[in-house]
Every structure is written in structure tokens, then in C-alpha cells.
Amino acid sequence: LKFFCGRDQMDIESLGEVMIEKMVDKGWLHAYADIYKLPGRRDQLMTLEIEQQRKDTKTGESKKSIVQFGEKRTDKLIEGIEASKTRPLARVLAAMNIRHVGVSTAEIIAEHFCEMEKVADATEEQLQEVEGVGPEVAASIRRFFGSTAGRKAWQGLRDAGVNMTQPKRQVSGDQPLTGKTLVVTGTLKNFSRSEIERLIKDLGGKVSGSVSKKTDYLVCGEEAGSKLEKAKELGVKVLSEGEFMSISGKA
């Protein structure tokens, strides 16, 4: 539940670790879909007691006090929950915490299938048709959606009104990375991982989570690991952050 609400997943900022733990203890949250029932508990949410730290104006010391969650916090939480219903399919797939399916893998799967139901029904062979999805990832996805828990998870979200689709990305043919598949590894100085992946897609490229013979470039930051070794082994072109910026026209 904590992962599901994270910034790179469904991004429900007001539903943090402490709040989730309280709601689990109260029996309000058991599954992802239960989050979308919380707006119906508005009155109960307002009276929920939370611990708050405040500085004493006289001594400057930090003191803890118990306060009610209140109307403003409750309405902000409800707004965040409602806004999360509109996230694209890629974010929903990433949020469900399927083994081996991170943000970039969820993105390429979502753009390939466009609908959650098609992902859920896809065979391992069909999943492996997606560039960057190998046997291990395909087996993990099939195992999740083939399980009772996985089926209940995505269908519960669908029934709660969460978006289950994602349109194919439209990219003009004259972009510098059109038709290229890139993998990013290591720590970058000028980009967060999500920022560089978004830039690659905006420039017409595809982002993959693993290096293969189909990879055109490996963008390599500091403290790169096994992906760099794999790229060298396969003869994949390795780009420094500066070289990537030159190729992409951002230098």
C-alpha cells in the first residue's frame, strides 16, 4: 500500500506511511481498491487522531501533540485520491508492485498493449514480443495476473474507477532518438531516472529496463553495475551522460 501511493506510482501525496498504518490498524485498508473507498469515510477521516510536532514559541523546543486530522487535510487527501484515478496505465502497472516490473518496464508494456485487460490476458509469448521484456519478466507478469490475488487487485481498481488505459505515444519521425532503444544505468548528475526516461521518450526513443542485442545505447552514470558489463559483452554502444546530451541535442 505504501509503495502503491508513492510518487513514481499513483502519487497520493497525503497518504503517507503513518496514515496508511493507522488506516490498516482500523481495518479500513486491506487492498489497493480500498483506498478509493476512503472518500466515503470523510467524517471518520476528519476525526482521526494524528501526532503532530510543534515548536514552543517561548522555548523553541519541539513538542509532540495529538490533533485531529481535520477538514482541510481530509479534503486534500480526498482530492489526491480522486486525482490518482486519472493516472495512465503505466503508473497503475508500476504501482501494483509486480516482481521485475519497474517504472520503465511498465511504460513499454502499457504503450504496447494500451489496455489493462489485454495485459492481464497476454500469454508469456505475447509479453515477450514487447521490446525489453524477457522470459523472466514475462513469467512474473503472467504469474501475477494468473493468480487470484492479482486478478482481484486489477479488477478491484477498475471497479473503483481507476483508469485502465494508455494511448500509444505519438512521436514525429525527425526526433534524434526515433527508433532507438536505450537503457539507463548508474547515477546521473543532471537528471533523475524518471527525468531522463521521460526525455528519451519525448525525443522518440524507447526505454528498456534490461540490456539486450536490440539495445542501441546504454546511458551510463556513476557506479554502473551489471548492465555496463552486459553492454560491453554484447557490443552495445555506451554513452556517458555528456555524450547522451550531445546526441539528444541537450548539450
Side-chain angles (χ1 to χ4, degrees):
L1 289 165
K2 294 171 189 175
F3 182 82
F4 183 88
C5 297
R7 181 174 296 177
D8 288 334
Q9 288 72 248
M10 300 305 278
D11 194 17
I12 309 176
E13 184 180 353
S14 299
L15 198 52
E17 185 173 336
V18 173
M19 286 297 292
I20 288 173
E21 287 178 355
K22 281 185 175 293
M23 293 178 190
V24 168
D25 289 343
K26 284 186 170 292
W28 296 352
L29 294 182
H30 300 282
Y32 302 141
D34 292 335
I35 291 169
Y36 297 95
K37 298 174 185 176
L38 290 176
R41 295 183 180 272
R42 186 173 183 274
D43 290 344
Q44 291 172 290
L45 288 167
M46 285 195 295
T47 59
L48 196 65
E49 292 186 337
I50 58 171
E51 191 177 84
Q52 182 172 286
Q53 282 195 334
R54 288 183 177 176
K55 276 192 175 182
D56 189 297
T57 53
K58 292 182 180 179
T59 64
E61 293 180 357
S62 182
K63 292 185 176 182
K64 293 180 180 179
S65 60
I66 303 298
V67 298
Q68 288 190 340
F69 196 56
E71 186 174 6
K72 287 185 178 178
R73 289 192 186 96
T74 297
D75 288 342
K76 185 178 179 183
L77 171 59
I78 291 172
E79 286 174 11
I81 290 170
E82 291 300 324
S84 76
K85 289 181 178 181
T86 66
R87 307 283 183 244
L89 174 58
R91 298 283 285 274
V92 185
L93 281 172
M96 289 194 295
N97 206 10
I98 304 167
R99 187 171 175 80
H100 302 308
V101 179
V103 174
S104 60
T105 302
E107 187 81 34
I108 58 175
I109 291 169
E111 289 185 357
H112 181 89
F113 290 100
C114 300
E115 298 174 19
M116 179 69 87
E117 189 168 0
K118 289 180 179 178
V119 180
D121 290 342
T123 64
E124 289 186 38
E125 290 74 19
Q126 289 170 328
L127 287 162
Q128 287 184 64
E129 290 174 5
V130 181
E131 193 167 341
V133 175
E136 190 175 11
V137 177
S140 177
I141 295 168
R142 184 65 255 137
R143 194 158 49 243
F144 176 85
F145 284 106
S147 69
T148 300
R151 191 161 49 251
K152 284 183 177 178
W154 82 263
Q155 290 178 353
L157 291 171
R158 177 199 62 193
D159 295 345
V162 175
N163 175 49
M164 295 278 122
T165 63
Q166 180 157 331
K168 286 189 179 293
R169 182 180 292 268
Q170 300 298 320
V171 180
S172 62
D174 58 353
Q175 293 280 24
L177 298 178
T178 297
K180 302 294 184 184
T181 298
L182 291 86
V183 176
V184 182
T185 189
T187 304
L188 303 174
K189 294 180 180 178
N190 298 294
F191 304 95
S192 67
R193 184 58 57 88
S194 59
E195 286 172 341
I196 194 167
E197 289 181 354
R198 192 180 306 116
L199 177 58
I200 290 169
K201 291 166 192 169
D202 289 344
L203 295 174
K206 295 180 181 179
V207 180
S208 176
S210 59
V211 177
S212 71
K213 291 179 180 179
K214 294 181 180 180
T215 305
D216 293 291
Y217 299 120
L218 174 71
V219 182
C220 192
E222 295 178 359
E223 300 180 8
S226 59
K227 290 178 182 177
L228 177 58
E229 296 303 315
K230 185 71 171 178
K232 290 178 179 177
E233 181 185 321
L234 295 175
V236 172
K237 174 73 173 177
V238 177
L239 301 176
S240 67
E241 188 173 350
E243 288 171 328
F244 166 77
M245 292 172 74
S246 295
I247 286 176
S248 63
K250 298 297 178 182

